[in-house]
Amino acid sequence: MIQISNTTKKFGSKVAVDHISFDIPAGCITGFIGPNGAGKTTTIHMMTGVLAPDQGLITLNGINIATDPIQAKRQFTLVPDSPDLFLRLTGREYANFMADIYDIGQNERKQRIDELVRDFKLENDFDSQMASYSHGMRQKAIIIAALVCNPSIWILDEPMTGLDPESSYILKEKMKQHAAAGNTVFFSTHVLEVAEKLCDKIIMISDGSIKYDGTLDHLKAMHEGESLEQIFLGVVSHA
Ligand SMILES: Nc1ncnc2c1ncn2[C@@H]1O[C@H](COP(=O)(O)OP(=O)(O)OP(=O)(O)O)[C@@H](O)[C@H]1O
């Protein structure tokens, strides 16, 4: 579970995130949707300790990321918005580096890496430097390394970007399984069809403020006969 309370982030005079509060419960998939520049990545960076908020409180499984960052960071894994990281490492070296950080034993990590590499069809390239990968292959390697760690909370920033349909399907199935096992899955997306098919709960952000926080079913009941796209465009145009 993640709790964000009255949290604000400014860059100079620009208020990127403005007094936002919401809970992300365990046991379901929560989608974070909003237009470009709405504040999604800034929020995710504050949740994961990459950025310090100017104001507010963020806890992950009840642990305050500001005052207990090491323990808080052990609660989650992050798929960042850009996969262009550690490009001199091979996919396998990067996955092992992440597994080291999370203290995953040798047998367990080997089993998980083998399974994930097979699922995402990266067997032929996993021992090559990530600099030689295509964008989609880098995205797969970052996802594999994040999922090898397998803590209770998964935070994914635009995770389907660049993935082929088969890999995107596999990732969505893994997200569903993780949530069904009682864990927390939170992801941002621009792809409303994905949000519609995958999410139990939706949080909509626009211009740094939360415009909707609730179940997908409730949102649809409030806007009977409208698609999620029509609802989204309505919410954003009234921002
Ligand atoms: N490092 C920064 N310096 C200055 N302004 C920033 C910085 N990071 C983000 N912003 C601003 O904060 C606002 C929110 O940006 P953010 O990246 O959180 O949006 P987003 O919802 O993730 O957008 P996108 O969907 O385009 O990735 C934008 O107006 C952006 O210009």
Side-chain angles (χ1 to χ4, degrees), residues 9-12 14-17 32-45 51 81 157-158 188-190 205 207-208:
K9 181 71 190 174
K10 293 181 193 164
F11 296 104
K14 167 81 195 173
V15 184
V17 170
F32 196 32
I33 58 180
N36 292 132
K40 300 180 298 297
T41 297
T42 303
T43 302
I44 287 176
H45 282 173
L51 280 175
D81 58 340
D157 198 354
E158 293 281 348
S188 71
T189 185
H190 287 117
I205 184 168
D207 212 12

